[in-house]
């Protein structure tokens, strides 16, 4: 099923109440751990509960819990193996501690990027296992086993009990960003000349939604093979949203005089179509439309032609004398202002078209259509 398909009522309920659901799942995972401890009473079982809290507390999504569990399991196994090897084979206290410090320092040096948490876990596991170098490896092995059992419990609860999907969160953030951008553009076009509307709150909300999308990329890879194949595209999609937000930030800075109103109205008539296309895109991403809306073929070329006509039809270039006078007075010629505003709308059209292209590729990939059919989402 496509990531843009309408969400089921159950999935929608989970997402709308994900904080409560997440707290419930964490409690259930701890209850499982407590029950196991009550039945079998393995030594040092508290590490299982600590692991569950560390993994699940900050990562409600299934993909995030899986990734963090695997990193913790791998780091625990590697750190435990090294620590047990030191304790079992080295008799000198100072030699054990020297090799421990060397290993932790090396881990600190190479720890970076996506797997930094595995390095972190590996480092402090070595310290926990070696302890005071008393050559008792049973405690270390039990701690390792308990940590691994905590990872398993966290994964199983995340997967099978009210799963909270990163895909739905990513989709919601994408909708939020596009909605805010479409609203900013529409409000600007409806506002009078020289308006003083403040769009910062909406644009900051859109940027925050884009940043949240980026934080979900790793979780998305674990939840969806399709999105994993297009992880570069997800990053590009986020960057294109940032570009569109940046262009929209320039809109409130545009100003014009009353005598140039007709020319600006013609340009805004073209820009109003972009707001409509953005709103249509948001409705598709939200699952309110079954088909991805189509853009006119060669949208940017068509808009560029229409913008040029609107500029040519208006008397926007003053005489040489008037231009010289304006330059002397430090004023910006209106011809330049109109041309710059026209360029801004043209760039907005290119950015909107780029969003359509990436979302069309994702939709086609989910429908498992041949790569030759991947288009930019424009009408033939």
């Amino acid at each position: 099923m496509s990531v843009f398909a309408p969400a089921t009522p159950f999935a929608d309920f989970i997402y709308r109440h994900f904080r409560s659901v997440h707290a419930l799942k964490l409690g259930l995972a701890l209850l499982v751990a407590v029950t196991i401890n009550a039945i079998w009473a393995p030594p040092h079982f508290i590490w299982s509960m600590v692991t569950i809290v560390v993994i699940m507390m900050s990562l409600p999504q299934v993909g995030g819990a899986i990734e963090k569990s695997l990193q913790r399991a791998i780091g625990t196994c590697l750190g435990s193996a090294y620590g047990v090897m030191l304790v079992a084979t080295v008799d000198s206290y100072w030699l054990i501690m020297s090799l421990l410090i060397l290993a932790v320092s090396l881990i600190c040096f190479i720890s970076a990027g996506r797997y930094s948490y595995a390095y972190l876990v590996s480092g402090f596991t070595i310290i926990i296992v070696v302890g005071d170098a008393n050559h008792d490896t049973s405690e270390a092995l039990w701690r390792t086993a308990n940590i691994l059992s905590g990872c398993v419990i966290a994964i199983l609860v995340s997967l099978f009990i009210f799963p909270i999907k990163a895909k739905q969160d990513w989709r919601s953030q994408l909708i939020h960003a596009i909605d805010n951008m479409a609203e900013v553009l529409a409000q600007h076009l409806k506002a009078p000349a020289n308006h003083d509307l403040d769009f910062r709150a909406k644009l900051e909300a859109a940027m925050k939604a884009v940043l949240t999308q980026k934080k979900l990329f790793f979780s998305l890879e674990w939840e969806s093979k399709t999105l994993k194949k297009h992880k570069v595209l997800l990053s590009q999609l986020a960057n294109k949203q940032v570009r569109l937000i940046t262009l929209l930030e320039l809109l409130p800075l545009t100003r014009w005089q009353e005598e140039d109103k007709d020319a600006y109205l013609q340009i805004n008539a073209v820009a109003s179509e972009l707001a409509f296309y953005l709103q249509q895109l948001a409705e598709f991403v939200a699952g309110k439309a079954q088909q991805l809306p189509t853009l006119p073929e060669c949208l940017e070329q068509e808009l560029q032609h229409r913008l040029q006509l609107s500029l040519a039809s208006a008397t926007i270039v003053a005489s040489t004398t008037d231009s010289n006078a304006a330059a002397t007075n430090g004023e910006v010629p209106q011809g330049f202002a109109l041309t710059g505003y026209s360029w801004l709308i043209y760039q907005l059209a290119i950015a909107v078209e780029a969003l359509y292209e990436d979302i069309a590729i994702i939709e086609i990939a989910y429908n498992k259509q041949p790569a030759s059919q991947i288009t930019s989402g424009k009408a033939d």
Side-chain angles (χ1 to χ4, degrees):
M1 183 174 67
S2 171
V3 69
F4 303 124
T8 64
F10 180 69
D12 186 61
F13 173 83
I14 290 178
Y15 183 73
R16 285 188 291 107
H17 302 88
F18 82 94
R19 291 185 182 276
S20 300
V21 171
H22 182 218
L24 175 63
K25 291 175 65 174
L26 178 58
L28 289 174
L30 291 174
L31 179 59
V32 172
V34 169
T35 303
I36 292 174
N37 186 43
I39 296 174
W40 287 289
H44 309 292
F45 198 74
I46 191 66
W47 281 99
S48 179
M49 301 178 68
V50 170
T51 299
I52 291 171
V53 172
V54 169
I55 291 174
M56 297 185 65
M57 181 70 78
S58 59
L59 291 170
Q61 296 88 5
V62 172
I66 293 175
E67 169 146 358
K68 196 165 186 177
S69 295
L70 291 177
Q71 289 202 38
R72 188 173 180 88
I74 292 172
T76 298
C77 290
L78 293 177
S80 178
Y82 183 78
V84 170
M85 183 270 294
L86 289 182
V87 172
T89 60
V90 180
D91 293 329
S92 171
Y93 171 82
W94 286 109
L95 180 57
I96 289 179
M97 290 305 172
S98 298
L99 293 173
L100 180 151
I101 294 172
L102 177 62
V104 174
S105 299
L106 179 61
I107 290 171
C108 177
F109 177 75
I110 64 177
S111 175
R114 177 171 181 174
Y115 303 105
S116 58
Y117 182 67
Y119 289 118
L120 170 65
V121 172
S122 179
F124 72 67
T125 299
I126 294 174
I127 296 175
I128 291 172
V129 169
V130 173
D132 57 358
N134 60 8
H135 291 76
D136 182 8
T137 59
S138 62
E139 181 176 344
L141 294 175
W142 273 115
R143 285 178 175 175
T144 301
N146 289 326
I147 290 174
L148 294 178
S149 68
C151 293
V152 172
I153 293 172
I155 290 176
L156 293 178
V157 172
S158 296
L159 273 174
F160 299 112
I161 299 179
F162 305 132
I164 301 172
K165 297 297 184 68
K167 290 188 297 182
Q168 192 165 2
D169 196 7
W170 172 79
R171 170 184 175 180
S172 178
Q173 297 300 329
L174 179 60
I175 296 167
H176 188 54
I178 298 176
D179 266 335
N180 276 280
M181 291 187 286
E183 190 171 346
V184 166
L185 182 55
Q187 288 183 359
H188 169 78
L189 298 176
K190 294 177 182 177
N194 298 320
H195 66 79
D196 58 352
L197 295 177
D198 189 354
F199 300 130
R200 284 178 298 179
K202 290 187 178 297
L203 292 177
E204 286 175 0
M207 183 63 75
K208 184 178 179 180
V210 175
L211 295 177
T212 303
Q213 293 173 44
K214 291 184 176 182
K215 293 178 181 178
L216 294 170
F217 286 171
F218 291 154
S219 297
L220 290 172
E221 291 184 28
W222 286 101
E223 290 185 13
S224 171
K225 293 181 179 179
T226 302
L227 292 180
K228 184 175 182 178
K229 294 177 182 178
H230 294 81
K231 58 184 179 181
V232 175
L233 183 63
L234 294 178
S235 179
Q236 292 175 353
L237 180 61
N239 293 335
K240 289 173 183 178
Q241 292 173 71
V242 172
R243 179 171 180 263
L244 187 51
I245 292 171
T246 303
L247 291 171
L248 290 171
E249 287 178 337
L250 300 176
L251 284 179
L253 304 179
T254 57
R255 295 290 185 269
W256 60 84
Q257 303 300 323
E258 187 64 28
E259 57 268 24
D260 301 301
K261 179 179 179 180
D262 292 340
Y264 276 98
L265 287 178
Q266 292 182 53
I267 297 175
N268 285 348
V270 176
S272 63
E273 298 181 23
L274 298 179
F276 173 73
Y277 295 142
L278 272 178
Q279 192 58 51
Q280 278 195 321
L281 185 61
E283 291 180 357
F284 170 75
V285 173
K288 298 178 181 178
Q290 294 184 351
Q291 297 292 332
L292 178 67
T294 56
L295 295 177
E297 188 176 7
C298 301
L299 171 66
E300 68 275 13
Q301 288 89 344
E302 178 185 341
L303 289 182
Q304 184 182 34
H305 177 67
R306 290 170 59 187
L307 289 169
Q308 289 173 343
L309 290 178
S310 67
L311 288 172
S313 63
T315 307
I316 61 172
V317 181
S319 63
T320 303
T321 304
D322 292 339
S323 297
N324 292 336
T328 302
N329 295 329
E331 299 173 356
V332 179
Q334 290 302 305
F336 175 80
L338 278 170
T339 305
Y341 186 65
S342 176
W343 175 87
L344 177 59
I345 299 302
Y346 173 62
Q347 293 300 319
L348 283 172
I350 295 176
V352 170
E353 190 173 40
L355 285 183
Y356 266 79
E357 289 176 352
D358 287 351
I359 291 176
I361 293 174
I362 294 174
E363 174 65 7
I364 291 173
Y366 265 97
N367 292 332
K368 302 186 185 303
Q369 297 181 23
S372 60
Q373 296 185 24
I374 294 181
T375 63
S376 61
K378 293 181 282 189
D380 295 332

